[in-house]
Amino acid sequence: MALHPMSDLGGNVKCFDACSAEGAAGIASLVTAGGTGDATKRTGQSINRISGEGMAHSAVLTTHYVATQADAETLTLAHELQESADGSTWDTAEVIEAATTYVTQSGAGTSRGVAQFSVSLKNRKQYIRFNVTPNLSKANTDTMAFATVAVLAGYDVLPQ
């Protein structure tokens, strides 16, 4: 799967750090516990809520993950939203979900899952971005891959 820089896929699916050529979008990352990216916030791409369809008033945010972990170890995720009037000066992040445990491994193994959130964008500024913080508990051994996707909806003008 080839990855390319941030882009807009069809107007409603917004990429964060990378997008696949096949059409999936997200913060596509590989994390090793205690290593690069673990317990480190990933800042999402600036998304302009105004498009040819009008202004988006809602979004569905999903994080898909696959984790390989040792016995009794955990995977937590935190999600937040930021907004901006100009796309460069960002307000303090608002918590969508505080650090929440998604996996407590019973026996060493691989787990898969999805965290999904409906997010109201009413009364939000023109630009938004979503941030994600993954955290694995077992240093140097546990790994995970995840992708976070935002799909905008609820436009105030119907497409032609």
Side-chain angles (χ1 to χ4, degrees):
M1 174 173 11
L3 296 179
H4 56 85
M6 297 180 274
S7 64
D8 177 346
L9 299 175
N12 293 342
V13 179
K14 302 296 181 177
C15 299
F16 287 66
D17 291 339
C19 301
S20 82
E22 289 78 17
I27 295 177
S29 296
L30 180 60
V31 177
T32 299
T36 303
D38 189 33
T40 303
K41 181 189 303 184
R42 305 299 202 293
T43 301
Q45 172 189 354
S46 172
I47 301 169
N48 185 347
R49 294 176 47 221
I50 297 175
S51 70
E53 292 86 25
M55 170 99 60
H57 290 286
S58 64
V60 174
L61 181 69
T62 60
T63 296
H64 301 259
Y65 63 85
V66 177
T68 302
Q69 299 171 266
D71 183 36
E73 300 303 330
T74 61
L75 158 64
T76 62
L77 296 169
H79 295 84
E80 61 186 25
L81 168 70
Q82 286 184 290
E83 62 182 337
S84 170
D86 59 11
S88 62
T89 305
W90 295 92
D91 291 348
T92 302
E94 295 182 29
V95 174
I96 294 172
E97 175 191 54
T100 300
T101 301
Y102 278 86
V103 178
T104 300
Q105 194 66 33
S106 178
T110 300
S111 57
R112 293 170 172 76
V114 177
Q116 181 170 302
F117 310 94
S118 296
V119 181
S120 174
L121 301 176
K122 289 185 178 184
N123 303 316
R124 294 288 178 184
K125 295 178 181 174
Q126 180 176 346
Y127 296 89
I128 57 169
R129 67 183 181 192
F130 297 98
N131 306 323
V132 181
T133 305
N135 193 1
L136 293 163
S137 64
K138 178 69 173 171
N140 306 318
T141 59
D142 291 355
T143 60
M144 73 174 287
F146 75 97
T148 299
V149 179
V151 179
L152 303 184
Y155 288 91
D156 55 7
V157 176
L158 295 175
Q160 299 295 323

